[in-house]
Amino acid sequence: MICEDIGDLMTQARAGSSWMGLDLGTKTIGVAVSDRLLSSATPLHTIRRVKFSKDAEALLQIIADREIGAIILGLPRNMDGSEGPRCQSTRAFVRNLARFTDLPIGYWDERLSTVAAERALLEADTSRKRRAEVIDHVAAGYILQGALDRARHIRTVT
């Protein structure tokens, strides 16, 4: 099930399960997972993209191993909020992935997530080589943490 709103995703997610955040790129997929309390995101690793079936297989294995209850993908909107070709590609990926899992899949506006991840890695004095290795899954962590924070806010307001 594809959810356009975090509130919808929350009602559809498996209770007591972790969420998975994805930073989808043309060559890689950054993966992060949350704790079961949905309070914090942890960058996990980066998948080198091969073809959709292999990419989906790798993601489904993580879902099974980590007992994931929902998936959040970063939606790469333009700075003015409009959606361009990268958003269309992300939405197509989600439509294809939804055929392989019954988990709810939602979107999170990922504008500046890679910039924030890069800044955090620079502040941690991470080498250029190491930054290149981890930037995608650190960005996935930022995406997922944003969605978790929004979900927590919705829970406390209602």
Side-chain angles (χ1 to χ4, degrees), residues 22-108:
L22 303 177
D23 181 31
L24 185 67
T26 56
K27 297 180 182 178
T28 61
I29 303 171
V31 181
V33 295
S34 76
D35 60 333
R36 290 182 183 272
L37 298 175
L38 305 179
S39 61
S40 64
T42 303
L44 187 61
H45 69 271
T46 300
I47 297 170
R48 296 275 170 221
R49 294 190 71 180
V50 182
K51 62 180 185 175
F52 178 79
S53 60
K54 294 284 187 188
D55 301 343
E57 185 178 305
L59 293 172
L60 293 172
Q61 187 61 54
I62 295 168
I63 289 167
D65 292 347
R66 301 269 177 166
E67 298 177 3
I68 300 296
I71 305 167
I72 299 286
L73 267 90
L75 192 62
R77 295 183 189 272
N78 296 322
M79 290 308 290
D80 66 1
S82 64
E83 293 190 12
R86 290 186 58 224
C87 283
Q88 293 171 357
S89 175
T90 298
R91 289 185 183 280
F93 183 90
V94 167
R95 283 191 302 273
N96 289 330
L97 185 60
R99 294 183 319 183
F100 292 92
T101 181
D102 63 344
L103 291 178
I105 305 172
Y107 301 104
W108 186 254

Side-chain angles (χ1 to χ4, degrees), residues 11-24:
T11 62
Q12 300 299 320
R14 293 182 185 154
S17 295
S18 302
W19 289 9
M20 179 168 69
L22 303 177
D23 181 31
L24 185 67

